[in-house]
Amino acid sequence: MYIYTCVDMSKLILVAAPMYYKGVYHFFYQHNPHAATFGEKMVWAHSVSYDLINWIHLNHAIEPSEPFDLNSCWSGSATIIPGKEQPVILYSGIDDKKHQVQNMAMPKNLSDPFLREWVKHPQNPVMTPPVGVEVDNFRDPSTAWLGKDGKWRVVIGAQNGDEGKVVLYQSEDFANWTVELNPFFASDNTGVCECPDFFPVSINSTNGVDTSVQNQSVKQVLKISYYRRNQDYYILGKYGNSDGNFIPDVKFTGTSLDLRFDYGKFYASKSFFDHAKSRRILWAWVDECDTRDDGIEKGWAGLQCIPRQVWLDESGNRLMQWPIEEVEKLRDKQISIKGEKLVGGSILEVSGITASQADVEVLFELPELENAEFLDESEVDPHLLCSEEYVSRSGIIGPFGLLALASEDQTEHTAIFFRIYKTSNRYICFMCSDQSRSSLRENLDKSSYGTIFDIDPNQKTISLRSLIDRSIIESFGEKGKICITSRVYPSLAIDKDAHLFAFNNGRQSVVISELNAWSMKHAEFDQDESIYQQ
Ligand SMILES: *[C@@H]1O[C@H](CO)[C@@H](O)[C@H](O)[C@H]1NC(C)=O
Ligand SMILES: *[C@@H]1O[C@H](CO)[C@@H](O)[C@H](O)[C@H]1NC(C)=O
Ligand SMILES: *[C@@H]1O[C@H](CO)[C@@H](O)[C@H](O)[C@H]1NC(C)=O
Ligand SMILES: *[C@@H]1O[C@H](CO)[C@@H](O)[C@H](O)[C@H]1NC(C)=O
């Protein structure tokens, strides 16, 4: 296995229930044992790790077997019941009538540190589609949380006609669940809201908090996976008042103004609280950019992003994300560049590392922002511009950034870049990832991704980190404020023929204040668990 981001290269579909339990990280995921494509009879595969980087594959945790999941076992979540310290899984079953129902499973032997075997609950299904929810659009139970009244709550993705929604259930005993009549969230735009996630973030610390915390120290995050767009959106708000409603800070609009975890390929994310390091960790499924047939031929499809720590920005208006610190254990040979000026139209090779598998951190020193070109927001929607912002179009301040997975002559490359504009009342910065030249191969999705954010007129520097791994590039702008994941399949820029460059195509010079890049080692994916026994 060569791709360090990936938990299981074979036929991995999407993350189900990540969890930390008694010293072990558990990763359950949707898996089709029969083909590298989504199919019938999906199972929950199971891998465990001590560091979220090196993984041990175990036998499947849950497979179709009973009337309530005979057709498939779809996504869900894990909850750790406090007191009993017992993990419980809630998952969606496709039953013998092809209805979507929610089921429960518990570990067979709590003394087994890997929790290898899971037993389905005798009361399954514990939830069936309620009134106002389509029987084939009722899925993906979240991790449950305890309300101040001592009752459990869980949210489930649903749809009715044009309305996508998140429905709320409650229970006193975690087995007998009753639906709330009013949906927790509803929108006319989304289609079914898949994989809802609801979790608190601390308002004054980067530390994570457990899912049931509701007090003055936290804000809540509701994440929905927007089925019609294959994109994950989140809403910040308040929760835990006496009426038990979630009150968003800003209304969800179904437009480019809504907040996203990642502006690239990144879907069906899930988070969990890691007690060991008091942090909340987010990860997501990164789909392919090649075709279904390519997947079948390769024998695998889809992978997981590097787990990210997630916390609330100081402004309280958005989340920040950063690769978990453990990924730095894979850093190998390092090179550094300091104080290198990139005049307009210049390109600089970052050589001496394995450019096909690298971690790059760069801090750019900006010119005076008042020289930036003017953008009339009434004429163009800046959010739509990344797809037109091809890197070779020169500007004034930017585009500048990195060309990753580039061929020697740069025929192939993925450009991750910034470009700064002045509008009538503020300065804005684009961060884009342009895949249009990522490969000479055809039939690949080469869309460009990106977004804009406000930039302080006195800001002197801007930072970018990219984790590059052969067919995936995860980029973190402004220390994790903006994240973009790209999926690319170069035909030339492979292994030793992959190169990394820094570039500036703006007329104003920018300076690489500091750049550090590392070759990355391979993670271990060991079938033999004995070497990890503690
Ligand atoms: C439960 O797991 C422990 C630790 O692996 C093992 O020693 C024990 O035999 C298991 N019990 C059963 C009933 O399988
Ligand atoms: C399930 O909970 C509901 C509402 O709390 C209650 O009316 C019902 O009696 C409970 N059923 C069982 C079997 O406990
Ligand atoms: C909120 O809960 C967290 C976790 O239990 C605790 O650390 C924090 O002090 C609480 N804050 C307030 C204001 O009660
Ligand atoms: C965080 O904010 C809460 C509520 O304002 C406060 O009670 C708590 O002491 C603060 N914690 C820290 C570490 O500043």
Side-chain angles (χ1 to χ4, degrees), residues 209-210 213-218:
V209 284
D210 210 344
V213 172
Q214 297 141 37
N215 65 28
Q216 296 300 318
S217 302
V218 301

Side-chain angles (χ1 to χ4, degrees), residues 42 96 147 154 157 193 301 305 321 363 454 477:
M42 298 292 290
D96 50 1
V154 69
C193 294
C305 71
Q321 296 162 66
L363 185 68
D454 283 11

Side-chain angles (χ1 to χ4, degrees), residues 108-114 116-117:
K108 188 169 183 182
N109 179 3
L110 280 173
S111 310
D112 168 14
F114 288 169
R116 288 174 183 80
E117 288 183 84

Side-chain angles (χ1 to χ4, degrees), residues 18 73 83 164 194 206 233 243 274 293 300 337 396 427 446:
C73 298
E194 296 196 297
T206 58
Y233 287 80
D243 61 1
D274 173 6
D293 287 347
W300 51 272
I337 296 172
I396 295 179
Y427 289 87
K446 297 182 193 172

Side-chain angles (χ1 to χ4, degrees), residues 271-329:
S271 74
F272 72 101
F273 178 59
D274 173 6
H275 294 262
K277 294 197 170 177
S278 293
R279 57 187 173 173
R280 183 156 288 268
I281 292 177
L282 174 77
W283 33 355
W285 170 45
V286 181
D287 198 2
E288 293 299 314
C289 66
D290 60 0
T291 64
R292 191 174 180 275
D293 287 347
D294 290 331
I296 292 167
E297 199 182 310
K298 291 186 305 217
W300 51 272
L303 48 75
Q304 293 300 320
C305 71
I306 294 279
R308 302 173 177 182
Q309 188 172 346
V310 57
W311 69 94
L312 188 67
D313 179 31
E314 279 170 10
S315 71
N317 298 325
R318 69 188 311 142
L319 297 174
M320 302 289 286
Q321 296 162 66
W322 198 245
I324 53 162
E325 61 188 7
E326 287 86 341
V327 76
E328 293 165 26
K329 293 202 292 192

Side-chain angles (χ1 to χ4, degrees), residues 14-15 190 192-195 223-232 264-270 283-287 304:
L14 59 93
V15 55
T190 52
V192 57
C193 294
E194 296 196 297
C195 297
K223 185 276 298 190
I224 52 162
S225 296
Y226 195 140
Y227 181 66
R228 292 207 181 123
R229 291 193 193 144
N230 265 296
Q231 295 171 345
D232 278 11
K265 260 197 206 302
F266 186 95
Y267 190 65
S269 60
K270 289 265 162 147
W283 33 355
W285 170 45
V286 181
D287 198 2
Q304 293 300 320

